[in-house]
Amino acid sequence: GITYGADGTSATLVLRAPGKQYVFVSGDFEDWVGDQSLLFRDDTDPLGTRWWIELTGLTPGVEYAFQYEVDGTIFMADPYASKVINFGEADFPIQANPFPVGVLTPGAPAFPWTDDDFEAPAQEDLVVYELLVRDFLRDHSFVSLTDTLDYLQRLGVNAIELMPVSEFDGDESWGYNPAFHLALDKYYGTPDEFKAFVNAAHARGIAVILDVVYNHATGQSPLVRLYNSGGFSGPS
């Protein structure tokens, strides 16, 4: 995953990839000039070979796209990236290979949460409304979901359960085929718009429950692609 330096000008990338020979990373931080950076291998890692590198000289608050190259044949985003850009999307870097790229943002401003006093309803008192953002709203956005809280509150619910909102394979899904477990599906909005929804729900005493899938991943996921037979095929 990605660990940011306290001053907002550095980031350490770590990729756990046992059985691989080498890992490079390239991205906006070096203008995709082809001068790829070789990750260091940590052979002392007891759980498997870990690869890492520290990037310095970054600008706080700026988004940097980046992509790993593993053993010269696998091009992939970081499996724990909180934002990914897929090939074909408007902001996909033309210099990258046609596989997802990750995004890192050093020194990003913290979200102004105001829900410190929120207390979740007791489990036995939950009245849950489950919804899929892309089906519940015409414009399928976190912003409109926030604007709909009056309606949901009038129904008498005290918890909203969202069907999976992380990145998945394909363009339309209920979300149970995750590709990047920690990256929000950009189709619904930005991370700050999602946080604003949670913050507004908490202000009304409404809990937000996330339906998540952690026990499997689909073909686009780097966790699969590190060890499949190439491209987006199934595990080998």
Side-chain angles (χ1 to χ4, degrees):
I2 306 167
T3 301
Y4 295 110
D7 63 356
T9 65
S10 64
T12 300
L13 307 180
V14 178
L15 177 68
R16 191 179 301 282
K20 302 303 180 182
Q21 299 304 307
Y22 62 87
V23 180
F24 285 100
V25 63
S26 58
D28 291 336
F29 56 87
E30 42 97 47
D31 296 324
W32 300 90
V33 295
D35 184 19
Q36 297 171 321
S37 300
L38 179 66
L39 273 66
F40 300 99
R41 184 169 65 183
D42 179 8
D43 290 322
T44 67
D45 176 16
L47 297 179
T49 303
R50 179 174 54 195
W51 303 84
W52 67 275
I53 191 170
E54 183 182 17
L55 307 176
T56 58
L58 305 178
T59 302
V62 172
E63 289 191 343
Y64 295 87
F66 69 102
Q67 190 177 58
Y68 293 129
E69 175 190 334
V70 182
D71 287 356
T73 59
I74 303 170
F75 296 90
M76 52 175 254
D78 191 294
Y80 301 106
S82 60
K83 179 179 179 179
V84 297
I85 306 173
N86 297 298
F87 180 69
E89 293 180 344
D91 49 352
F92 187 86
I94 61 174
Q95 306 94 326
N97 281 272
F99 296 96
V101 300
V103 175
L104 59 89
T105 311
F111 181 81
W113 294 99
T114 59
D115 64 347
D116 288 348
D117 296 331
F118 171 71
E119 294 185 12
Q123 186 170 343
E124 62 270 19
D125 296 330
L126 287 174
V127 181
V128 181
Y129 191 108
E130 182 180 15
L131 62 89
L132 176 65
V133 179
R134 68 179 55 237
D135 284 351
F136 183 69
L137 298 158
R138 179 172 297 177
D139 75 347
H140 40 67
S141 72
F142 293 131
V143 172
S144 289
L145 187 57
T146 304
D147 292 341
T148 311
L149 284 170
D150 279 346
Y151 165 74
L152 292 167
Q153 189 172 28
R154 286 198 302 269
L155 292 180
V157 304
N158 60 13
I160 299 170
E161 180 177 357
L162 301 182
M163 293 170 69
V165 293
S166 62
E167 287 278 357
F168 56 84
D169 275 7
D171 294 326
E172 191 166 343
S173 170
W174 281 358
Y176 295 105
N177 54 333
F180 291 87
H181 295 85
L182 301 185
L184 279 177
D185 187 346
K186 298 189 300 298
Y187 187 72
Y188 300 143
T190 68
D192 276 358
E193 289 169 347
F194 172 72
K195 294 173 184 177
F197 158 68
V198 174
N199 202 49
H202 286 176
R204 299 166 180 264
I206 299 175
V208 177
I209 301 170
L210 293 183
D211 190 351
V212 296
V213 181
Y214 292 145
N215 65 309
H216 65 260
T218 46
Q220 184 175 265
S221 170
L223 299 173
V224 175
R225 295 192 53 245
L226 274 170
Y227 300 101
N228 67 2
S229 54
F232 292 128
S233 65
S236 60

